[in-house]
Amino acid sequence: MTANECSSEVCSIASPYSDLCILVHGICGTAQDWDAWLEVLSSTLPTWTVKPLQSLAKGSRFMGESLDQLAKLAAVEVLGEITAKLSSGHVVRLHGIGHSMGGVVLRAALPTIRKGVAEFVTSGGGHVEFGHYVSLSTPHLGIQCSWRAPLQMWRNLCGCSAYITQQLVQLAVQDGGSDTPPFLVALSDPEGPYVEALRMFQHRTCVTMANGDLLIPVASGVVDKELMVMKNCNPCCDRSAPSWHLAEGHDSADGDDVACGKSKTSKFGRHGVVARSCASITSTEEEKVPCRRGRNKTYMISLLDFLIAGIRTLMRLCVPKHSSKAWRKWQGSPAMASEAEAHASSARVRCLTWETSSDGACRFPLAILHGLETLPWRRKVAWLHHPPFAMNPHVFLIGKSSEQWSSEHKLSMQCINQLVEEVLLDRSAQ
């Protein structure tokens, strides 16, 4: 949808470009996940055309399509939006924002998008530039965990789903074949087409949660092994009320260490006015915590989902070995040609040099980090304090109201406004 309709004459005076912003949701998401961002962008950047992708909802379900298949779907839809604008005589400036797995899918789609744009421009004219790439809680380094964070080691069981789909296996860097590296490793090859396409963006920003997100390790979300962006940054000063805090770090184009930079926080005033101070909701506006019955219902739903996923995994593991090839072929994944090929694939993955983040929550091939560090990044982390607990910190950066308490959603809206102001409206970054 268009953030705010305006005449072509007014738009051309305001900017020489027609800004097209693509929003890519994550696993189990839909285009409606971006309602909060659409609300903010419609008021802050009214001349932008904002398009949440519609074609990924079915394939991005839990244990759905592989990342490369989702990237193909995304590329087709994005190219359709770009060519429509080029056909209207616009000079397009493309921006991409991805949440969770959507940030990886967007990166994987870039070479196809770049090739399609080049072919269209060569044949029909026009011009396309690449503006902002923004990832929100995206596992750039994967989601695999080390033994130093035992409570998060359940993420290492993603390999058990290989007979069903390659989606989680790719996110955990447990894929790869005898002649191909793991998907995230190929995606980060500094001489490959993916990094080359990502380099075309004028600005790259990665934002993630500093606490509470059980799905995405902090180091993976900010592409920072040492978590320098979190050091010497004091989170919320008021621990008695729901609050949030945003800290930022920068690095240089040659991949130097990240230094902790400025941090900004906000709070609700008595009349809903955003103020620069420790991020919190005043006691007069703080929502009452849901009753015990509501909390118990949430726990039971989460437990039921976990048990169902476990039963499905056990059922797939019980599939006879002789039928594994046919099963994987039916799922669209390449089957192992022989037992020797399976051993060769495992040996190839073992040959990778693996590293562990300073907090132990992320274990990843060093090649991924080195490849992404060839590009300059802005790194931001968000702290969330919501006593007694937040419903789902993983969706805090997109403000998905259906998975948040009302007070939690208010904080999300504040944070999204701050991100748009600091990233997309930052005049020094234009």
Side-chain angles (χ1 to χ4, degrees), residues 350-426:
R350 286 196 298 269
C351 288
L352 294 171
T353 301
W354 291 77
E355 280 286 349
T356 302
S357 61
S358 59
D359 62 352
C362 186
R363 181 175 179 268
F364 55 91
L366 194 59
I368 299 179
L369 180 63
H370 285 172
L372 293 177
E373 282 185 336
T374 61
L375 303 171
W377 292 85
R378 292 181 69 183
R379 295 172 167 88
K380 292 177 177 288
V381 291
W383 277 270
L384 173 63
H385 176 64
H386 192 280
F389 63 92
M391 185 184 293
N392 187 1
H394 182 61
V395 300
F396 179 76
L397 295 176
I398 60 172
K400 188 174 181 179
S401 60
S402 62
E403 298 183 18
Q404 294 178 309
W405 310 125
S406 57
S407 55
E408 185 182 352
H409 181 66
K410 290 180 180 179
L411 296 177
S412 282
M413 294 302 294
Q414 290 184 14
C415 187
I416 293 170
N417 273 283
Q418 190 71 40
L419 286 173
V420 171
E421 179 183 337
E422 293 187 5
V423 177
L424 302 182
L425 287 176
D426 185 0

Side-chain angles (χ1 to χ4, degrees), residues 8-336:
S8 58
E9 292 80 9
V10 175
C11 291
S12 63
I13 294 174
S15 172
Y17 301 100
S18 176
D19 289 281
L20 173 62
C21 184
I22 301 297
L23 306 178
V24 188
H25 62 76
I27 193 170
C28 296
T30 65
Q32 284 67 45
D33 290 2
W34 295 103
D35 286 349
W37 275 81
L38 288 170
E39 179 182 339
V40 173
L41 291 175
S42 65
S43 60
T44 55
L45 293 164
T47 61
W48 280 28
T49 300
V50 185
K51 293 286 185 178
L53 295 190
Q54 305 284 340
S55 59
L56 303 183
K58 183 178 180 180
S60 63
R61 67 188 187 280
F62 183 66
M63 293 190 183
E65 297 287 349
S66 61
L67 302 185
D68 48 318
Q69 292 297 322
L70 292 174
K72 293 178 182 178
L73 295 175
V76 170
E77 189 171 352
V78 174
L79 281 173
E81 298 294 340
I82 295 176
T83 54
K85 279 192 166 292
L86 290 176
S87 300
S88 301
H90 291 95
V91 177
V92 178
R93 180 163 55 188
L94 180 67
H95 310 280
I97 304 177
H99 173 247
S100 190
M101 181 181 70
V104 177
V105 171
L106 180 58
R107 285 174 50 201
L110 289 178
T112 304
I113 295 172
R114 182 187 181 189
K115 180 180 178 182
V117 167
E119 292 176 352
F120 186 89
V121 169
T122 300
S123 61
H127 181 67
V128 177
E129 291 192 3
F130 293 76
H132 288 275
Y133 169 84
V134 182
S135 67
L136 308 172
S137 298
T138 292
H140 294 287
L141 304 181
I143 60 175
Q144 195 172 145
C145 179
S146 79
W147 61 269
R148 289 167 50 195
L151 296 180
Q152 302 179 45
M153 290 196 70
W154 58 269
R155 295 197 301 259
N156 294 0
L157 299 177
C158 290
C160 297
S161 65
Y163 290 117
I164 308 172
T165 174
Q166 291 292 294
Q167 184 188 91
L168 299 181
V169 182
Q170 290 174 333
L171 288 174
V173 201
Q174 295 173 334
D175 59 322
S178 58
D179 57 347
T180 56
F183 185 74
L184 290 184
V185 174
L187 210 62
S188 306
D189 182 357
E191 298 180 357
Y194 301 104
V195 171
E196 183 181 358
L198 185 60
R199 187 176 286 113
M200 296 185 65
F201 283 92
Q202 298 174 12
H203 315 286
R204 286 158 297 275
T205 305
C206 49
V207 191
T208 199
M209 298 300 296
N211 64 317
D213 192 341
L214 300 179
L215 300 179
I216 310 300
V218 182
S220 189
V222 293
V223 196
D224 179 12
K225 170 190 170 185
E226 301 298 334
L227 302 179
M228 295 296 294
V229 70
M230 296 179 61
K231 296 181 179 179
N232 302 319
C233 295
N234 184 29
C236 308
C237 55
D238 181 6
R239 307 299 291 177
S240 62
S243 51
W244 65 274
H245 175 89
L246 191 64
E248 179 177 352
H250 297 269
D251 68 352
S252 61
D254 56 358
D256 292 340
D257 290 338
V258 179
C260 184
K262 62 182 179 179
S263 61
K264 293 187 178 181
T265 54
S266 302
K267 71 175 181 180
F268 277 121
R270 290 185 179 273
H271 303 289
V273 178
V274 176
R276 302 292 188 193
S277 63
C278 187
S280 62
I281 298 180
T282 61
S283 58
T284 58
E285 295 193 36
E286 185 173 357
E287 301 278 340
K288 289 186 176 295
V289 178
C291 64
R292 184 181 299 275
R293 180 181 299 177
R295 293 199 301 268
N296 290 340
K297 182 179 179 181
T298 301
Y299 292 147
M300 292 302 297
I301 293 175
S302 299
L303 179 60
L304 182 61
D305 289 342
F306 177 79
L307 291 176
I308 292 175
I311 292 173
R312 287 177 177 174
T313 301
L314 290 175
M315 290 176 62
R316 300 309 181 191
L317 290 176
C318 292
V319 176
K321 291 185 177 180
H322 62 79
S323 63
S324 61
K325 287 185 183 180
W327 176 260
R328 294 186 58 154
K329 183 177 181 181
W330 181 77
Q331 288 290 331
S333 302
M336 293 295 182

